[in-house]
Amino acid sequence: MNDSSEELLKTALYDLHVELGAKMVPFAGYAMPVQYPLGIVKEHKHTRQNAGLFDVSHMGQLRVSGANAAAALETLMPVDIIDLGVMKQRYALLTNEQGGIMDDLMVTNAGDHLFLVVNAACKQQDIQHLQQHIGEDCEIEVLADHALLALQGPEAAAVMARLAPESQELVFMTAANLDIDGIACFVTRSGYTGEDGFEISVHNDDADRLARTLMVQPEVEAVGLGARDSLRLEAGLCLYGHDLDQQTTPVESSLLWALTKSRRADGARPGGYPGADIIMRQISEGVTRKRVGLKPEGRMPVREGAVVIDADGKEIGHVSSGSFGPTVEGPVAMGYVAIDYVAVDTRLFALVRDKKVPLSVVKLPFVQQRYYRG
Amino acid sequence: MSTIGFSEDHEWVVAEEDGTALIGITDYAQEQLGELVYIELPAVGDELDKGDAVAVIESVKSASDLIMPVSGEVLEVNEELDADPGKVNEDAMGAGWFMKVKMNDSSELDDLMDEATYMQSLD
């Protein structure tokens, strides 16, 4: 990773981050705030108790349009896009020929186009992939001139109601074009923290003003990528490149829920996406390993890459994400273990600095998700 | 009379005339690390060499090492850090001490910086 901030890309909120005293770090080619003076633990807790404002403009925002856009996208993902209602949002996965996950993303039916939010590190690959496979069937536009802000937490709805009353009509995984304090925004009620909240797409020219308008609301504090990671891990949500990758299928990663019924073997439009044979076979015959929640005993964090062993010392998996959960007030992790060990309460060990740290397989999430479903 | 020295790795050492020394991390170090969530200390009786990574200091985001600023035998560790690692954030130079050692070679103290030099090195 290049750490020379001069060569890093800056989001539209860069000056605001610096002004707020953020610690800026290189992330996926961007200079991003990992934390503000409040610190990761307090930022995390503030988001769970009030509302946190995140700059996630490094993520890729794409517009896919044309009469066949939904059908075209379905050829690349095991997810129902054709029947996705107007202003409805869905979690989706791009798969490769081996059934591995190329990226996880959000797809929203914005009426005259599909709005996609993809991972920063996968952005170039995804654009190329879409151009190559469906570029002739639809128009793919990269919204490089748009910022993406996330307002997350139990007080997010009250903040939004004050600035854009129509936001109250949104429920989890729905979208609207809203005026926030006079600024045109495309808003979805979703996020990456397990809390109720909103993601707001806004033109770069208006992003700073919008962020400052949100920041002066009494419930809101700026929250960096450090707390974003601990929040999503407590919520049991996957981080691409860590919990998901090209070598791991949706069945192995316990994301079967994301594979819409209509695209399964007995559905209306079965298969027809890269790796479908492998994924459908895994659904019917099972897999040899799976992603599970792991709760280490004691206080020592067990981090990504730690080897997981059984009581006999046999290596049976690894930790894919691990940290200290400020809300849980203890270490939290998830990882991949061999299929014989996926049952909840299975007792295992992680190797940390040559020491055996006992841990148990647990049901995810660690902190109950509190989405607003109306 | 006790003397205080600072290492380039941001540890402090308060050495007593009887050859014992208290070791911790500096206020600057705790601030850089952020809120600490776990500290793994060596065991009483451990013989530690100067330059060894002897304790692990974990924040939400990452794990860092405490690098032994002098060599010696561990006489006592601050067990309160087990339950409350935040003590280091609150009072790095006092209640947040890590361990007390019996130094092997007090001349190693000469390699440490005095407070003024250390503070200057942070600029």
Side-chain angles (χ1 to χ4, degrees):
Chain A
M1 183 72 70
N2 194 330
D3 63 3
S4 156
S5 57
E6 255 129 281
E7 293 169 41
L8 293 169
L9 298 168
K10 291 173 181 170
T11 73
L13 301 184
Y14 179 86
D15 290 346
L16 177 60
H17 299 318
V18 172
E19 195 180 311
L20 292 171
K23 186 172 167 189
M24 305 299 286
V25 299
F27 187 85
Y30 286 80
M32 296 300 291
V34 66
Q35 64 173 86
Y36 297 87
L38 200 56
I40 293 177
V41 173
K42 291 200 181 80
E43 290 170 28
H44 177 115
K45 289 182 175 169
H46 189 87
T47 306
R48 289 260 184 264
Q49 287 155 9
N50 291 284
L53 181 66
F54 304 72
D55 179 12
V56 289
S57 304
H58 58 311
M59 300 191 78
Q61 300 181 65
L62 315 178
R63 241 174 224 255
V64 181
S65 53
N68 298 317
L73 267 188
E74 284 202 359
T75 66
L76 300 177
M77 48 182 69
V79 177
D80 170 15
I81 304 295
I82 288 174
D83 294 326
L84 181 61
V86 175
M87 293 299 171
K88 295 272 168 59
Q89 186 178 38
R90 183 162 281 162
Y91 178 70
L93 303 161
L94 287 168
T95 52
N96 63 29
E97 293 296 337
Q98 289 72 47
I101 300 169
M102 292 184 68
D103 196 5
D104 64 335
L105 64 156
M106 296 298 258
V107 180
T108 308
N109 179 353
D112 60 352
H113 67 274
L114 294 161
F115 174 70
L116 276 54
V117 178
V118 304
N119 279 298
C122 300
K123 179 155 71 173
Q124 296 313 324
Q125 163 211 272
D126 291 353
I127 294 165
Q128 204 186 349
H129 184 67
L130 295 180
Q131 290 287 9
Q132 186 188 334
H133 293 279
I134 61 170
E136 283 177 14
D137 307 317
C138 43
E139 195 186 333
I140 297 151
E141 188 190 345
V142 183
L143 301 181
D145 57 355
H146 274 60
L148 191 64
L149 279 64
L151 184 69
Q152 301 280 299
E155 296 299 323
V159 171
M160 287 291 283
R162 196 178 302 138
L163 300 170
E166 317 87 82
S167 65
Q168 293 170 89
E169 286 157 31
L170 291 175
V171 295
F172 183 56
M173 300 297 269
T174 65
N177 286 295
L178 296 180
D179 245 34
I180 305 178
D181 201 33
I183 300 169
C185 301
F186 182 68
V187 179
T188 62
R189 194 155 191 171
S190 59
Y192 194 47
T193 59
E195 298 296 326
D196 181 22
F198 302 83
E199 291 202 344
I200 307 165
S201 176
V202 62
H203 196 280
N204 277 339
D205 293 348
D206 298 322
D208 184 84
R209 185 159 71 88
L210 175 65
R212 286 174 198 270
T213 299
L214 291 166
M215 276 301 295
V216 297
Q217 305 303 314
E219 299 91 342
V220 179
E221 289 282 352
V223 179
L225 294 185
R228 184 170 158 86
D229 189 51
S230 52
L231 286 159
R232 69 93 195 165
L233 179 53
E234 282 186 341
L237 302 171
C238 291
L239 176 60
Y240 193 83
H242 302 261
D243 308 302
L244 310 175
D245 59 37
Q246 299 266 8
Q247 282 74 47
T248 307
T249 70
V251 190
E252 292 167 326
S253 57
S254 304
L255 293 177
L256 208 51
W257 58 268
L259 274 56
T260 329
K261 260 203 167 78
S262 62
R263 305 299 307 281
R264 304 226 195 158
D266 53 356
R269 296 185 304 282
Y273 56 87
D277 293 352
I278 295 167
I279 289 171
M280 291 203 282
R281 193 172 66 232
Q282 287 187 346
I283 292 173
S284 60
E285 294 175 11
V287 287
T288 59
R289 61 180 187 128
K290 255 185 156 170
R291 179 177 63 95
V292 296
L294 298 167
K295 180 80 187 88
E297 273 176 27
R299 284 185 63 91
M300 185 199 291
V302 173
R303 301 196 187 264
E304 181 180 356
V307 167
V308 176
I309 60 174
D310 69 6
D312 301 326
K314 186 172 126 198
E315 180 172 341
I316 57 101
H318 73 278
V319 171
S320 54
S321 277
S323 183
F324 189 91
T327 302
V328 172
E329 292 185 329
V332 289
M334 51 185 169
Y336 284 82
V337 297
I339 202 72
D340 295 341
Y341 301 88
V342 299
V344 165
D345 291 337
T346 303
R347 296 262 301 158
L348 299 165
F349 299 89
L351 292 177
V352 181
R353 302 182 284 273
D354 299 327
K355 253 180 261 169
K356 280 167 67 175
V357 180
L359 38 79
S360 304
V361 174
V362 294
K363 198 172 175 301
L364 291 170
F366 292 99
V367 172
Q368 208 50 55
Q369 294 162 345
R370 297 191 288 178
Y371 304 130
Y372 178 73
R373 297 177 194 272
Chain B
M1 209 188 83
S2 63
T3 57
I4 186 162
F6 296 84
S7 75
E8 286 173 2
D9 302 306
H10 309 288
E11 286 93 20
W12 55 261
V13 180
V14 172
E16 302 296 337
E17 279 175 355
D18 64 1
T20 63
L22 218 52
I23 295 172
I25 66 169
T26 65
D27 197 49
Y28 173 83
Q30 71 77 16
E31 211 177 292
Q32 291 298 306
L33 293 166
E35 278 162 278
L36 301 182
V37 296
Y38 179 77
I39 294 173
E40 185 180 298
L41 294 165
V44 171
D46 280 0
E47 287 281 352
L48 307 175
D49 285 334
K50 182 184 172 183
D52 284 357
V54 296
V56 181
I57 310 160
E58 306 222 27
S59 65
V60 172
K61 190 94 188 127
S62 63
S64 317
D65 292 317
L66 180 135
I67 307 294
M68 204 60 183
V70 291
S71 48
E73 182 193 341
V74 180
L75 298 176
E76 199 182 335
V77 295
N78 187 355
E79 280 165 8
E80 287 187 38
L81 301 187
D82 261 356
D84 188 9
K87 272 196 162 34
V88 178
N89 295 112
E90 289 156 22
D91 189 9
M93 308 293 290
W97 63 279
F98 277 53
M99 67 185 107
K100 187 177 180 181
V101 300
K102 172 88 188 154
M103 289 185 291
N104 292 343
D105 178 2
S106 55
S107 75
E108 285 175 350
L109 294 170
D110 300 341
D111 300 336
L112 300 175
M113 291 175 264
D114 63 21
E115 188 161 8
T117 311
Y118 175 69
M119 295 310 283
Q120 268 176 5
S121 76
L122 302 179
D123 293 338

